[in-house]
Amino acid sequence: MRILVCGGAGYIGSHTCVLLAERGHEVVVADSLVNSSPKVLERLQAIIGAPVAFRQVDLRDRAATASLFQDTHFDAVVHFAALKAVGESCERPLDYFDNNIAGTIHLLQGMKAANVRRLVFSSSATVYGDPDSVPVREDAPLRVTNPYGRTKLVMEQLIGDLCDNDPAFHAINLRYFNPVGAHASGLIGEDPGGIPNNLMPYICQVAVGRRERLRIFGGDWPTVDGTGVRDYIHVVDLARAHVDALDYLLRAERSATINLGTGRGVSVLELVRAFAEASGREIPYDIVERRAGDVAEVYAEPGLAHALLGWRAQFDVDAMCRDAWRWQSMNPDGYALEPGAPPGAA
Ligand SMILES: NC(=O)c1ccc[n+]([C@@H]2O[C@H](COP(=O)([O-])OP(=O)(O)OC[C@H]3O[C@@H](n4cnc5c(N)ncnc54)[C@H](O)[C@@H]3O)[C@@H](O)[C@H]2O)c1
């Protein structure tokens, strides 16, 4: 199939491009590069062994988004393009509504006009908020707690309405738990701008000497060791699920909403220990006050992904830490420098 990958220069999108190419699909990346580097495209070429077609387009621009479909027919779209920082979404909710929701509407309009009727959409476990029980199933109550989460929920709903309205339009909403890790080549990985919002990139930056100490928010949660428990999933496992979802759309011609997690909860301290083991580096940390809005324990019931897509996570926490560390140690400043440069040389 020829696949349009919106947000394909980002962390999860770039890994998905690799898996799509490996399975013989033709990939066109559309990305505004608001949160990614053009170097990703060079790295993708190095991994895949062929150039990846790229269009620099901001989905907020309706005409530019429509133009993606003008000369090229796509069999399906995978839609990663979004802003994703919870704290920033509380400070700039309108920017999040505009970028994530308006951008998605323009994309759906472009697809509809060009008769492209298969979509795989990046949703998030954030739509569950603080769940009543774990593991979390797809039919758990949805209660978003911040503007970012609301954009994900609204986008799921818009896509659902479109599926109801057009029986030939099918979409898979994939609700990711906590993506971590990197491609085994060490050439692509997570490169957040500024202070990382997520735990793994923060640990990586402490390990590589870019930050002094890790701050762990809360040591008194009702969990195995008092720190928060999450469902970490290797980004390559996550990427594979997108390819499986496209196969499902082609085969079953049905829509679905599916959790992507391992089904296993891992505490912050367990992750820190596994990372120290994988990297051979000490991760100094302080346990500080809980953060407003955080929850004790969230992990997935991943059975539906297996039932519908035949997908199961394959990588364990040790592999996630090993691959995250390989990426960070080969690229101490992320995409700012060539692989192997010492930290701070930018
Ligand atoms: N990483 C996570 O922890 C996580 C968890 C759950 C869901 N998600 C979702 O998965 C998707 C991908 O996340 P990621 O971690 O790869 O993020 P990312 O920021 O690395 O990738 C997103 C990409 O989309 C691009 N983009 C953003 N707005 C755009 C626009 N208007 N037009 C064109 N391109 C645009 C960015 O430049 C970036 O390359 C996002 O939708 C995110 O909400 C991520």
Side-chain angles (χ1 to χ4, degrees):
M1 289 194 276
R2 184 182 295 127
I3 315 291
L4 178 66
V5 184
C6 296
Y11 171 45
I12 304 167
S14 56
H15 288 79
T16 304
C17 288
V18 172
L19 278 270
L20 285 168
E22 280 175 0
R23 291 243 200 127
H25 297 297
E26 184 184 334
V27 170
V28 176
V29 169
D31 201 301
S32 65
L33 301 179
V34 60
N35 276 332
S36 49
S37 161
K39 284 205 182 144
V40 171
L41 298 155
E42 295 165 21
R43 304 283 181 93
L44 283 177
Q45 178 167 350
I47 296 170
I48 295 167
V52 174
F54 174 64
R55 300 275 306 270
Q56 186 163 359
V57 166
D58 189 328
L59 298 186
R60 290 175 304 171
D61 181 337
R62 186 199 306 254
T65 304
S67 77
L68 288 169
F69 297 92
Q70 256 153 27
D71 306 318
T72 315
H73 176 73
F74 293 103
D75 298 293
V77 173
V78 187
H79 178 28
F80 296 99
L83 302 176
K84 62 165 188 180
V86 169
E88 187 182 64
S89 81
C90 298
E91 285 156 24
R92 297 167 34 207
L94 286 172
D95 289 343
Y96 272 66
F97 302 155
D98 186 31
N99 192 80
N100 295 2
I101 300 175
T104 298
I105 293 171
H106 298 157
L107 179 64
L108 295 172
Q109 287 170 329
M111 290 177 67
K112 184 97 180 144
N115 207 18
V116 179
R117 285 161 144 162
R118 293 185 196 100
L119 174 69
V120 177
F121 171 66
S122 299
S123 189
S124 168
T126 193
V127 296
Y128 298 119
D130 188 358
D132 295 330
S133 61
V134 283
V136 189
R137 285 166 40 131
E138 288 83 354
D139 57 4
L142 303 179
R143 35 171 104 99
V144 295
T145 55
N146 56 70
Y148 163 67
R150 191 169 312 287
T151 67
K152 289 285 153 184
L153 185 56
V154 168
M155 291 185 282
E156 276 196 12
Q157 291 167 337
L158 296 177
I159 292 164
D161 285 347
L162 204 60
C163 294
D164 291 345
N165 161 266
D166 177 355
F169 186 94
H170 297 111
I172 308 279
N173 296 316
L174 295 175
R175 292 181 179 155
Y176 313 156
F177 280 68
N178 295 75
V180 295
H183 188 259
S185 63
L187 289 177
I188 54 173
E190 188 169 13
D191 182 21
I195 300 170
N197 292 302
N198 294 338
L199 178 60
M200 183 65 105
Y202 208 110
I203 294 177
C204 284
Q205 293 192 7
V206 171
V208 85
R210 271 170 72 177
R211 305 199 181 269
E212 262 180 37
R213 301 176 76 78
L214 174 70
R215 281 195 308 163
I216 297 176
F217 298 102
D220 57 352
W221 295 102
T223 60
V224 57
D225 57 21
T227 63
V229 166
R230 297 291 179 273
D231 188 339
Y232 298 98
I233 171 167
H234 197 296
V235 67
V236 173
D237 274 334
L238 197 68
R240 186 167 42 82
H242 293 73
V243 192
D244 294 341
L246 286 167
D247 288 348
Y248 177 82
L249 283 176
L250 202 62
R251 179 177 74 239
E253 300 199 347
R254 294 187 59 175
S255 299
T257 295
I258 301 173
N259 284 341
L260 291 180
T262 63
R264 189 175 161 239
V266 172
S267 78
V268 176
L269 285 177
E270 285 168 343
L271 190 70
V272 168
R273 267 188 237 113
F275 191 93
E277 180 73 24
S279 64
R281 301 268 172 122
E282 197 196 336
I283 310 297
Y285 63 82
D286 300 308
I287 297 185
V288 299
E289 289 292 289
R290 293 181 184 187
R291 239 177 353 187
D294 267 355
V295 301
E297 191 167 39
V298 186
Y299 56 91
E301 163 51 63
L304 189 62
H306 188 249
L308 295 187
L309 310 182
W311 176 94
R312 240 190 215 124
Q314 291 173 354
F315 293 105
D316 63 12
V317 171
D318 295 338
M320 299 177 208
C321 292
R322 185 192 64 220
D323 291 341
W325 174 238
R326 185 185 301 110
W327 151 254
Q328 192 70 63
S329 53
M330 280 174 66
N331 306 270
D333 288 291
Y335 290 109
L337 293 170
E338 289 313 307

